[in-house]
Amino acid sequence: RFEKPFALMARDLAVVRCYAQVTAEEAAALQGCAAPILLLDRLDPPNGPALANAVAPAQNRLGFMLPYSPLHHLLLADWDRPLVMTSGNLSEEPQCLDNRDAADRLHGLADGFLLHDREIVNRLDDSVACRIAGAVRVLRRARGFAPAPLLLPEGFEKSPAVLALGGELKATLCLLQNGTATLSQHLGDLEDARTAAEYDHTLALYRSLFDHHPAVLAADLHPDYYSTRVGQAESRRSGLPLLRIQHHHAHIAACLAENRWPRQAPPVLGVVLDGLGLGEDGSIWGCEWLVADYSGFRRVGRLRPVPLPGGIQAIREPWRNTLAHLVTAFGWDGWQPLCAGLPMGEWLARQPLDLLRVAMARGLNSPWSSSGGRLFDAVAALLGVRPASVSYEGQAAIELEALADAGKAEAKTPYPFAIHPGEIWTLDPSPLWSALLDDLRQGCEIPDMARAFHTGLAAALADMALNLAKQEGLNTVALSGGVMQNRRLFEALEQHLTAAGLTVLSHRQVPANDGGLALGQALVAAARMGVR
């Protein structure tokens, strides 16, 4: 794990304050009973002591937590510096549960072992939170929060029992019964076989612990998600109906549920800024405006779709998204002269462009996508941030946000986007690419450009929302999706919307990312079964 940030544990708040800024709200969260890892703005020398660069490379925030067990207090008692704390597992795998497993799997990583004879029944990752727009918001819901039940909104008191199976990444489960939702802890990414096995174990454990007997199952629309296949197998075995819930509808339903939006209340305008989710038209969605309630939704806006050359490789290699956006904006004959002499132009010229041109033209392993996350990857790569590859999900976007925080507000005006009205309104980033390329040729500072991208995108998202809210006669906007965890973007977007007089609903207790999908799936399934 050479680039993904590590968490730090400090003896007390006094030690934390040597390395990071801590507000009153953040201090309360650190000292609360959940004791999450909290992302804090770091103090760098000469304002604070030095840390090894590998703790949080290319980051301007540090993840700190305080001791939450007697053993931690004993270990930290004599330390006036923080210690790196990471789970006892290989990367992307579940934690080791017993001493023998730890000794076998971790012997090449750990120089020593502190063993215990207490059995671990249920694995729990550390929860992660961050202060965004004046509120401490959960980014990963696990130890300290799960499985605390969430009260359901008005109108769901007599809903049938629902088992919602979540998504593929940041997987969680949700049990709906007796007017409450029990959302499981973060289980990880189900692409890994060990994590999938842990998912199965947790599913059985939760159903037993909570004596849960579902009347209906809910899963994602994507047929290849492991969680969807689990739902299909359980439906065949039990005869229970399986409802397939569109990914971004589930995001909005989770936001509504957390905000106790009544079941019979009017629809809201949902704005989802996300990585990838299968749309009802078979394409990959990811930046959407939906008129939605629990029972259904209507797609009224989107980011202009572009191909994902190489499919899943476009997630791992950000330059592919840059190429797709440039080709979509300027055509194959137009983008190369515009990029001539620029570092990214030289990078792209070394790629197999003839092969990619044919693949994108014929739709070979190049599905169309309106992904917001991939737009961030495309901009990051053009600015020289992780163009070749990323080593963890969202790395390019996270590092781009850190650069933007160092940019000067007065240096550049926000970058422009175009809005095209229609049956489905489209947010078109073509003007953004022209402005970015002009500034690169003029040698503008990269942090200033990163900042102008964030402020321009927030303004464009808000403009789309205001136009669509007026068109649809709505006054409430719900914000969800993993990209909404970008502090700079979220705060600017929320400010635009509230200044225009709209009511804004957002996440606090439940992650805006895919960790909240299962809750949304459960509420949608309950609403649809009630209608029947």
Side-chain angles (χ1 to χ4, degrees), residues 159-186:
S159 293
V162 180
L163 170 59
L165 297 157
E168 183 82 348
L169 304 180
K170 301 176 177 66
T172 56
L173 304 158
C174 187
L175 313 182
L176 205 69
Q177 62 183 356
N178 302 325
T180 64
T182 301
L183 187 64
S184 78
Q185 70 272 22
H186 166 89

PDB file of all heavy atoms in Angstrom, residues 159-186:
ATOM      1  N   SER A 159     -44.611  -1.203   6.820  1.00  0.00           N
ATOM      2  CA  SER A 159     -44.011  -1.754   5.610  1.00  0.00           C
ATOM      3  C   SER A 159     -43.650  -3.218   5.801  1.00  0.00           C
ATOM      4  O   SER A 159     -43.332  -3.657   6.919  1.00  0.00           O
ATOM      5  CB  SER A 159     -42.755  -0.969   5.244  1.00  0.00           C
ATOM      6  OG  SER A 159     -43.081   0.337   4.857  1.00  0.00           O
ATOM      7  N   PRO A 160     -43.661  -3.999   4.729  1.00  0.00           N
ATOM      8  CA  PRO A 160     -43.235  -5.401   4.838  1.00  0.00           C
ATOM      9  C   PRO A 160     -41.748  -5.492   5.152  1.00  0.00           C
ATOM     10  O   PRO A 160     -40.990  -4.548   4.923  1.00  0.00           O
ATOM     11  CB  PRO A 160     -43.547  -5.961   3.448  1.00  0.00           C
ATOM     12  CG  PRO A 160     -43.502  -4.766   2.540  1.00  0.00           C
ATOM     13  CD  PRO A 160     -44.024  -3.628   3.357  1.00  0.00           C
ATOM     14  N   ALA A 161     -41.344  -6.625   5.682  1.00  0.00           N
ATOM     15  CA  ALA A 161     -39.920  -6.862   5.947  1.00  0.00           C
ATOM     16  C   ALA A 161     -39.179  -6.976   4.613  1.00  0.00           C
ATOM     17  O   ALA A 161     -39.606  -7.709   3.719  1.00  0.00           O
ATOM     18  CB  ALA A 161     -39.736  -8.125   6.768  1.00  0.00           C
ATOM     19  N   VAL A 162     -38.075  -6.245   4.504  1.00  0.00           N
ATOM     20  CA  VAL A 162     -37.303  -6.206   3.259  1.00  0.00           C
ATOM     21  C   VAL A 162     -35.852  -6.552   3.569  1.00  0.00           C
ATOM     22  O   VAL A 162     -35.296  -6.093   4.570  1.00  0.00           O
ATOM     23  CB  VAL A 162     -37.365  -4.806   2.605  1.00  0.00           C
ATOM     24  CG1 VAL A 162     -36.541  -4.781   1.310  1.00  0.00           C
ATOM     25  CG2 VAL A 162     -38.805  -4.386   2.330  1.00  0.00           C
ATOM     26  N   LEU A 163     -35.253  -7.347   2.716  1.00  0.00           N
ATOM     27  CA  LEU A 163     -33.811  -7.594   2.753  1.00  0.00           C
ATOM     28  C   LEU A 163     -33.212  -6.944   1.510  1.00  0.00           C
ATOM     29  O   LEU A 163     -33.487  -7.374   0.382  1.00  0.00           O
ATOM     30  CB  LEU A 163     -33.506  -9.092   2.774  1.00  0.00           C
ATOM     31  CG  LEU A 163     -32.031  -9.488   2.573  1.00  0.00           C
ATOM     32  CD1 LEU A 163     -31.147  -8.874   3.646  1.00  0.00           C
ATOM     33  CD2 LEU A 163     -31.869 -10.998   2.538  1.00  0.00           C
ATOM     34  N   ALA A 164     -32.412  -5.894   1.710  1.00  0.00           N
ATOM     35  CA  ALA A 164     -31.755  -5.195   0.599  1.00  0.00           C
ATOM     36  C   ALA A 164     -30.289  -5.577   0.585  1.00  0.00           C
ATOM     37  O   ALA A 164     -29.616  -5.546   1.623  1.00  0.00           O
ATOM     38  CB  ALA A 164     -31.927  -3.693   0.739  1.00  0.00           C
ATOM     39  N   LEU A 165     -29.760  -5.882  -0.597  1.00  0.00           N
ATOM     40  CA  LEU A 165     -28.461  -6.529  -0.719  1.00  0.00           C
ATOM     41  C   LEU A 165     -27.338  -5.588  -1.142  1.00  0.00           C
ATOM     42  O   LEU A 165     -26.188  -6.004  -1.240  1.00  0.00           O
ATOM     43  CB  LEU A 165     -28.583  -7.696  -1.696  1.00  0.00           C
ATOM     44  CG  LEU A 165     -29.544  -8.775  -1.172  1.00  0.00           C
ATOM     45  CD1 LEU A 165     -30.101  -9.610  -2.299  1.00  0.00           C
ATOM     46  CD2 LEU A 165     -28.869  -9.649  -0.141  1.00  0.00           C
ATOM     47  N   GLY A 166     -27.652  -4.303  -1.379  1.00  0.00           N
ATOM     48  CA  GLY A 166     -26.598  -3.327  -1.631  1.00  0.00           C
ATOM     49  C   GLY A 166     -25.989  -3.429  -3.015  1.00  0.00           C
ATOM     50  O   GLY A 166     -26.582  -3.958  -3.954  1.00  0.00           O
ATOM     51  N   GLY A 167     -24.763  -2.890  -3.133  1.00  0.00           N
ATOM     52  CA  GLY A 167     -24.079  -2.837  -4.420  1.00  0.00           C
ATOM     53  C   GLY A 167     -22.838  -3.693  -4.457  1.00  0.00           C
ATOM     54  O   GLY A 167     -22.678  -4.644  -3.673  1.00  0.00           O
ATOM     55  N   GLU A 168     -21.921  -3.349  -5.340  1.00  0.00           N
ATOM     56  CA  GLU A 168     -20.702  -4.130  -5.535  1.00  0.00           C
ATOM     57  C   GLU A 168     -19.536  -3.542  -4.762  1.00  0.00           C
ATOM     58  O   GLU A 168     -18.718  -4.293  -4.221  1.00  0.00           O
ATOM     59  CB  GLU A 168     -20.366  -4.161  -7.036  1.00  0.00           C
ATOM     60  CG  GLU A 168     -19.150  -4.993  -7.400  1.00  0.00           C
ATOM     61  CD  GLU A 168     -19.464  -6.482  -7.503  1.00  0.00           C
ATOM     62  OE1 GLU A 168     -20.547  -6.918  -7.080  1.00  0.00           O
ATOM     63  OE2 GLU A 168     -18.615  -7.218  -8.027  1.00  0.00           O
ATOM     64  N   LEU A 169     -19.443  -2.222  -4.708  1.00  0.00           N
ATOM     65  CA  LEU A 169     -18.363  -1.547  -4.006  1.00  0.00           C
ATOM     66  C   LEU A 169     -18.897  -0.955  -2.703  1.00  0.00           C
ATOM     67  O   LEU A 169     -20.055  -0.552  -2.630  1.00  0.00           O
ATOM     68  CB  LEU A 169     -17.756  -0.445  -4.872  1.00  0.00           C
ATOM     69  CG  LEU A 169     -17.247  -0.874  -6.244  1.00  0.00           C
ATOM     70  CD1 LEU A 169     -16.678   0.324  -6.997  1.00  0.00           C
ATOM     71  CD2 LEU A 169     -16.194  -1.965  -6.134  1.00  0.00           C
ATOM     72  N   LYS A 170     -18.036  -0.927  -1.680  1.00  0.00           N
ATOM     73  CA  LYS A 170     -18.456  -0.399  -0.368  1.00  0.00           C
ATOM     74  C   LYS A 170     -19.752  -1.067   0.070  1.00  0.00           C
ATOM     75  O   LYS A 170     -20.696  -0.419   0.568  1.00  0.00           O
ATOM     76  CB  LYS A 170     -18.620   1.120  -0.418  1.00  0.00           C
ATOM     77  CG  LYS A 170     -17.340   1.852  -0.812  1.00  0.00           C
ATOM     78  CD  LYS A 170     -17.577   3.341  -0.931  1.00  0.00           C
ATOM     79  CE  LYS A 170     -16.292   4.076  -1.262  1.00  0.00           C
ATOM     80  NZ  LYS A 170     -15.783   3.721  -2.601  1.00  0.00           N
ATOM     81  N   ALA A 171     -19.800  -2.370  -0.077  1.00  0.00           N
ATOM     82  CA  ALA A 171     -21.047  -3.107   0.095  1.00  0.00           C
ATOM     83  C   ALA A 171     -21.561  -3.038   1.534  1.00  0.00           C
ATOM     84  O   ALA A 171     -20.790  -3.058   2.497  1.00  0.00           O
ATOM     85  CB  ALA A 171     -20.852  -4.566  -0.311  1.00  0.00           C
ATOM     86  N   THR A 172     -22.884  -2.951   1.651  1.00  0.00           N
ATOM     87  CA  THR A 172     -23.579  -3.075   2.922  1.00  0.00           C
ATOM     88  C   THR A 172     -24.867  -3.857   2.673  1.00  0.00           C
ATOM     89  O   THR A 172     -25.290  -4.037   1.524  1.00  0.00           O
ATOM     90  CB  THR A 172     -23.946  -1.711   3.536  1.00  0.00           C
ATOM     91  OG1 THR A 172     -24.726  -0.972   2.604  1.00  0.00           O
ATOM     92  CG2 THR A 172     -22.701  -0.917   3.921  1.00  0.00           C
ATOM     93  N   LEU A 173     -25.499  -4.301   3.757  1.00  0.00           N
ATOM     94  CA  LEU A 173     -26.804  -4.942   3.724  1.00  0.00           C
ATOM     95  C   LEU A 173     -27.773  -4.098   4.528  1.00  0.00           C
ATOM     96  O   LEU A 173     -27.355  -3.344   5.412  1.00  0.00           O
ATOM     97  CB  LEU A 173     -26.738  -6.342   4.340  1.00  0.00           C
ATOM     98  CG  LEU A 173     -25.737  -7.324   3.748  1.00  0.00           C
ATOM     99  CD1 LEU A 173     -25.409  -8.412   4.752  1.00  0.00           C
ATOM    100  CD2 LEU A 173     -26.309  -7.933   2.479  1.00  0.00           C
ATOM    101  N   CYS A 174     -29.062  -4.231   4.266  1.00  0.00           N
ATOM    102  CA  CYS A 174     -30.051  -3.513   5.057  1.00  0.00           C
ATOM    103  C   CYS A 174     -31.253  -4.414   5.328  1.00  0.00           C
ATOM    104  O   CYS A 174     -31.810  -5.020   4.405  1.00  0.00           O
ATOM    105  CB  CYS A 174     -30.507  -2.243   4.344  1.00  0.00           C
ATOM    106  SG  CYS A 174     -31.582  -1.195   5.362  1.00  0.00           S
ATOM    107  N   LEU A 175     -31.646  -4.495   6.595  1.00  0.00           N
ATOM    108  CA  LEU A 175     -32.829  -5.244   7.027  1.00  0.00           C
ATOM    109  C   LEU A 175     -33.898  -4.243   7.432  1.00  0.00           C
ATOM    110  O   LEU A 175     -33.688  -3.427   8.339  1.00  0.00           O
ATOM    111  CB  LEU A 175     -32.514  -6.155   8.210  1.00  0.00           C
ATOM    112  CG  LEU A 175     -31.265  -7.031   8.141  1.00  0.00           C
ATOM    113  CD1 LEU A 175     -31.151  -7.897   9.392  1.00  0.00           C
ATOM    114  CD2 LEU A 175     -31.263  -7.900   6.900  1.00  0.00           C
ATOM    115  N   LEU A 176     -35.042  -4.315   6.791  1.00  0.00           N
ATOM    116  CA  LEU A 176     -36.152  -3.416   7.095  1.00  0.00           C
ATOM    117  C   LEU A 176     -37.244  -4.213   7.797  1.00  0.00           C
ATOM    118  O   LEU A 176     -37.705  -5.234   7.272  1.00  0.00           O
ATOM    119  CB  LEU A 176     -36.699  -2.829   5.788  1.00  0.00           C
ATOM    120  CG  LEU A 176     -37.422  -1.495   5.858  1.00  0.00           C
ATOM    121  CD1 LEU A 176     -36.449  -0.395   6.194  1.00  0.00           C
ATOM    122  CD2 LEU A 176     -38.109  -1.208   4.528  1.00  0.00           C
ATOM    123  N   GLN A 177     -37.631  -3.769   8.997  1.00  0.00           N
ATOM    124  CA  GLN A 177     -38.737  -4.417   9.698  1.00  0.00           C
ATOM    125  C   GLN A 177     -39.133  -3.566  10.903  1.00  0.00           C
ATOM    126  O   GLN A 177     -38.315  -2.852  11.477  1.00  0.00           O
ATOM    127  CB  GLN A 177     -38.367  -5.827  10.162  1.00  0.00           C
ATOM    128  CG  GLN A 177     -37.225  -5.914  11.157  1.00  0.00           C
ATOM    129  CD  GLN A 177     -36.867  -7.344  11.518  1.00  0.00           C
ATOM    130  OE1 GLN A 177     -37.528  -8.282  11.083  1.00  0.00           O
ATOM    131  NE2 GLN A 177     -35.824  -7.525  12.301  1.00  0.00           N
ATOM    132  N   ASN A 178     -40.421  -3.633  11.265  1.00  0.00           N
ATOM    133  CA  ASN A 178     -40.943  -2.983  12.471  1.00  0.00           C
ATOM    134  C   ASN A 178     -40.621  -1.496  12.533  1.00  0.00           C
ATOM    135  O   ASN A 178     -40.306  -0.956  13.597  1.00  0.00           O
ATOM    136  CB  ASN A 178     -40.409  -3.688  13.723  1.00  0.00           C
ATOM    137  CG  ASN A 178     -40.762  -5.165  13.766  1.00  0.00           C
ATOM    138  OD1 ASN A 178     -41.846  -5.560  13.318  1.00  0.00           O
ATOM    139  ND2 ASN A 178     -39.855  -5.979  14.280  1.00  0.00           N
ATOM    140  N   GLY A 179     -40.678  -0.825  11.392  1.00  0.00           N
ATOM    141  CA  GLY A 179     -40.495   0.620  11.387  1.00  0.00           C
ATOM    142  C   GLY A 179     -39.065   1.088  11.508  1.00  0.00           C
ATOM    143  O   GLY A 179     -38.822   2.287  11.699  1.00  0.00           O
ATOM    144  N   THR A 180     -38.103   0.181  11.417  1.00  0.00           N
ATOM    145  CA  THR A 180     -36.692   0.565  11.487  1.00  0.00           C
ATOM    146  C   THR A 180     -35.908  -0.085  10.351  1.00  0.00           C
ATOM    147  O   THR A 180     -36.316  -1.112   9.787  1.00  0.00           O
ATOM    148  CB  THR A 180     -36.042   0.158  12.820  1.00  0.00           C
ATOM    149  OG1 THR A 180     -36.046  -1.270  12.929  1.00  0.00           O
ATOM    150  CG2 THR A 180     -36.771   0.767  14.004  1.00  0.00           C
ATOM    151  N   ALA A 181     -34.759   0.522  10.041  1.00  0.00           N
ATOM    152  CA  ALA A 181     -33.819  -0.036   9.073  1.00  0.00           C
ATOM    153  C   ALA A 181     -32.511  -0.321   9.793  1.00  0.00           C
ATOM    154  O   ALA A 181     -31.979   0.549  10.484  1.00  0.00           O
ATOM    155  CB  ALA A 181     -33.586   0.944   7.930  1.00  0.00           C
ATOM    156  N   THR A 182     -32.018  -1.532   9.646  1.00  0.00           N
ATOM    157  CA  THR A 182     -30.735  -1.911  10.227  1.00  0.00           C
ATOM    158  C   THR A 182     -29.739  -2.033   9.085  1.00  0.00           C
ATOM    159  O   THR A 182     -29.818  -2.969   8.270  1.00  0.00           O
ATOM    160  CB  THR A 182     -30.832  -3.238  10.993  1.00  0.00           C
ATOM    161  OG1 THR A 182     -31.802  -3.104  12.032  1.00  0.00           O
ATOM    162  CG2 THR A 182     -29.487  -3.600  11.607  1.00  0.00           C
ATOM    163  N   LEU A 183     -28.842  -1.068   9.001  1.00  0.00           N
ATOM    164  CA  LEU A 183     -27.832  -1.042   7.948  1.00  0.00           C
ATOM    165  C   LEU A 183     -26.561  -1.659   8.487  1.00  0.00           C
ATOM    166  O   LEU A 183     -26.064  -1.259   9.544  1.00  0.00           O
ATOM    167  CB  LEU A 183     -27.593   0.399   7.508  1.00  0.00           C
ATOM    168  CG  LEU A 183     -26.695   0.642   6.296  1.00  0.00           C
ATOM    169  CD1 LEU A 183     -27.295   0.045   5.037  1.00  0.00           C
ATOM    170  CD2 LEU A 183     -26.451   2.141   6.106  1.00  0.00           C
ATOM    171  N   SER A 184     -26.021  -2.633   7.781  1.00  0.00           N
ATOM    172  CA  SER A 184     -24.820  -3.333   8.247  1.00  0.00           C
ATOM    173  C   SER A 184     -23.605  -2.426   8.182  1.00  0.00           C
ATOM    174  O   SER A 184     -23.626  -1.339   7.595  1.00  0.00           O
ATOM    175  CB  SER A 184     -24.560  -4.576   7.395  1.00  0.00           C
ATOM    176  OG  SER A 184     -23.966  -4.222   6.149  1.00  0.00           O
ATOM    177  N   GLN A 185     -22.536  -2.914   8.775  1.00  0.00           N
ATOM    178  CA  GLN A 185     -21.261  -2.223   8.653  1.00  0.00           C
ATOM    179  C   GLN A 185     -20.732  -2.320   7.218  1.00  0.00           C
ATOM    180  O   GLN A 185     -21.166  -3.165   6.437  1.00  0.00           O
ATOM    181  CB  GLN A 185     -20.220  -2.821   9.609  1.00  0.00           C
ATOM    182  CG  GLN A 185     -19.735  -4.225   9.243  1.00  0.00           C
ATOM    183  CD  GLN A 185     -20.585  -5.322   9.820  1.00  0.00           C
ATOM    184  OE1 GLN A 185     -21.750  -5.106  10.150  1.00  0.00           O
ATOM    185  NE2 GLN A 185     -20.008  -6.505   9.971  1.00  0.00           N
ATOM    186  N   HIS A 186     -19.813  -1.427   6.881  1.00  0.00           N
ATOM    187  CA  HIS A 186     -19.078  -1.481   5.605  1.00  0.00           C
ATOM    188  C   HIS A 186     -18.423  -2.856   5.468  1.00  0.00           C
ATOM    189  O   HIS A 186     -17.713  -3.310   6.366  1.00  0.00           O
ATOM    190  CB  HIS A 186     -18.021  -0.380   5.609  1.00  0.00           C
ATOM    191  CG  HIS A 186     -16.977  -0.505   4.540  1.00  0.00           C
ATOM    192  ND1 HIS A 186     -17.122   0.044   3.287  1.00  0.00           N
ATOM    193  CD2 HIS A 186     -15.756  -1.104   4.549  1.00  0.00           C
ATOM    194  CE1 HIS A 186     -16.045  -0.221   2.566  1.00  0.00           C
ATOM    195  NE2 HIS A 186     -15.205  -0.903   3.302  1.00  0.00           N
TER     196      HIS A 186
END
